[in-house]
Amino acid sequence: MEAVLPLCFLVAMLHLSVHSLTQTAHQPEAADPQKQYSHEGDPLESCQRIVSSNTDFAFQFYRQATTQEPGKNIFFSPVSISAALALLALGSRGTSQAQVLGGLAFNLTSIQEEEIHDGFCQLLLLLNRPGSQVQLSMGNTLFMDKRLKPTKTFLKDIKKLYRGKALSSSFQNTAEAKKEINDYVKNKTHGNIKQILEDLDPNTLMVIVNYIYFKAYWENPFNIEGTHKDYFHVNAKTSVEVEMMIRDGFYKAYSDRKLSCMVVQIPYKGDAVALFILPSKGKMKQLERALTKNTVSKWKRSLQRRRMELYIPKLSISGTYDLKRILMNLGVTDVFSNRADLSGITGNRDVKVSKATHKALLKIHENGTEAAAASSINFVPYSAPPIVKFNHPFLLLIIDQYTKSILFMGKIVNPTEK
């Protein structure tokens, strides 16, 4: 029985190129300085050690994205970007590694590197857990040129810790390599991202592809017959016509008077929820400045079940980001320069990151049936409920309740902007 169907797809890519193509031959594998990673203890406890930093990174990334594209829709998957960059840190050494982990908001005086990688290992395991009513799959794949020989330790660790695999490819034939990567991404995102690579630098020797696929159903679906044309006010001068969904029912909500915003939690079937945050008109910047993990924790603690008439616009938006630019602003510079030390990947230091891209797509719509609509009627009919209408710019967080991880984050400025 289909109701509201949100679909989110992401691909984060890191193109790695060598400084000198004359020094890409396989080097003898040196003893790896990293400690061996153990997986003893509670997986959820291991995962929780990194969630706080992942959340901090999510808000740091959000601020960079809004600075680069003011007045635009924002949508990305912080947990997926974090996992891809942590995998890069696995192959980094020295200052390069310290910068990547620092950029991911890890304090290396309070958490050890092996704890970070073990935390991501357990997080990926739990997010891909079978039996969940939320369909969520996430993984990492390295496309490596046949001339580039990764160390056995790196191949073993990416498989063990990041559910990753390496595929050999011929980057000398850029057209063929580009098609291979695009076809792979298309398959992993169920045909929704047809082309992630528009071009490929002929000097590229490695592409790290990180993908996440998310599909879930609202616990209480909207009635498709209630969807109607309405206006969404982008700003004081611009309004656009949207398809507005409506549902009268009970939701956990909180009115934050200090930040002048309304928070509504809409649960999915399973362990995921969406937090819709609607600031009062003119208060978006104030809300964004206050956006921290402590603020979100306060909202979650303060939620109370109440009846409301809820209006949410149907959405289909995407976000594409230059990770290199954002990460350099967060202090991650060496891996993009000739100072890069990614010797954990190949045994030599001739590799640097030439390009890093992140793309995410969000769709929220409803395919409600009459039976589904009937099952959603759970209100007392004799009193008119308060109206909560998301008809001007708002924020959106999609959270995995089991691991407390922010899967996706966005700002909806214009629902009609593709």
Side-chain angles (χ1 to χ4, degrees), residues 72-321:
K72 297 288 186 181
N73 291 330
I74 302 291
F75 190 70
F76 63 98
S77 173
V79 71
S80 207
I81 298 173
S82 292
L85 292 173
L87 187 154
L88 181 65
L90 186 68
S92 306
R93 298 291 180 267
T95 305
S96 294
Q97 184 184 75
Q99 285 183 358
V100 173
L101 294 176
L104 287 175
F106 288 107
N107 182 345
L108 297 178
T109 60
S110 59
I111 187 170
Q112 297 181 7
E113 183 205 337
E114 58 266 28
E115 287 182 289
I116 295 172
H117 294 305
D118 189 55
F120 274 104
C121 174
Q122 303 302 341
L123 177 60
L124 291 170
L125 192 68
L126 293 173
L127 289 179
N128 287 278
R129 62 190 179 276
S132 172
Q133 289 180 288
V134 172
Q135 185 181 341
L136 180 69
S137 58
M138 181 173 167
N140 301 280
T141 303
L142 280 74
F143 290 88
M144 308 186 77
D145 191 271
K146 293 171 182 176
R147 295 167 291 172
L148 198 63
K149 304 297 182 184
T151 68
K152 291 179 182 178
T153 299
F154 183 69
L155 289 178
K156 181 186 72 176
D157 284 345
I158 65 167
K159 182 178 181 180
K160 182 180 179 182
L161 300 170
Y162 288 90
R163 301 171 61 91
K165 61 182 179 179
L167 300 177
S168 182
S169 191
S170 178
F171 283 97
Q172 289 173 299
N173 186 337
T174 54
E176 185 179 313
K178 183 178 76 170
K179 183 180 186 303
E180 181 183 358
I181 295 168
N182 282 335
D183 286 349
Y184 179 86
V185 169
K186 181 179 178 181
N187 178 55
K188 289 296 184 181
T189 61
H190 299 250
N192 284 273
I193 294 182
K194 296 177 175 59
Q195 179 171 297
I196 185 66
L197 273 183
E198 293 183 2
D199 53 54
L200 192 63
D201 189 304
N203 292 323
T204 298
L205 290 185
M206 187 191 304
V207 174
I208 301 177
V209 172
N210 174 279
Y211 63 86
I212 182 168
Y213 175 83
F214 174 88
K215 178 179 178 180
Y217 297 89
W218 296 129
E219 190 175 276
N220 296 298
F222 290 75
N223 185 346
I224 193 170
E225 292 181 3
T227 301
H228 59 282
K229 300 280 187 186
D230 205 342
Y231 285 101
F232 187 95
H233 308 290
V234 177
N235 52 48
K237 297 179 180 178
T238 307
S239 296
V240 294
E241 194 173 65
V242 297
E243 292 284 316
M244 190 72 79
M245 304 185 298
I246 178 174
R247 182 174 180 273
D248 186 332
F250 286 91
Y251 292 98
K252 287 185 176 180
Y254 172 61
S255 179
D256 190 331
R257 294 182 180 178
K258 185 178 178 182
L259 294 179
S260 300
C261 68
M262 171 63 78
V263 181
V264 179
Q265 178 173 289
I266 307 182
Y268 297 105
K269 291 180 180 178
D271 293 321
V273 297
L275 275 188
F276 287 78
I277 305 119
L278 183 70
S280 299
K281 288 184 178 179
K283 297 294 183 179
M284 176 62 84
K285 287 186 178 179
Q286 173 187 300
L287 173 62
E288 289 176 323
R289 284 194 296 269
L291 208 53
T292 65
K293 63 187 175 191
N294 291 333
T295 300
V296 175
S297 293
K298 175 194 166 187
W299 289 340
K300 296 281 283 178
R301 290 193 308 269
S302 305
L303 292 170
Q304 292 186 335
R305 190 169 182 265
R306 62 179 74 172
R307 183 189 166 198
M308 64 182 64
E309 191 173 288
L310 182 65
Y311 292 77
I312 301 282
K314 292 173 70 170
L315 299 175
S316 180
I317 65 166
S318 64
T320 303
Y321 302 96

Side-chain angles (χ1 to χ4, degrees), residues 374-390:
S375 69
S376 71
I377 297 173
N378 60 351
F379 58 87
V380 182
Y382 55 77
S383 60
I387 293 173
V388 179
K389 204 167 189 177
F390 284 77

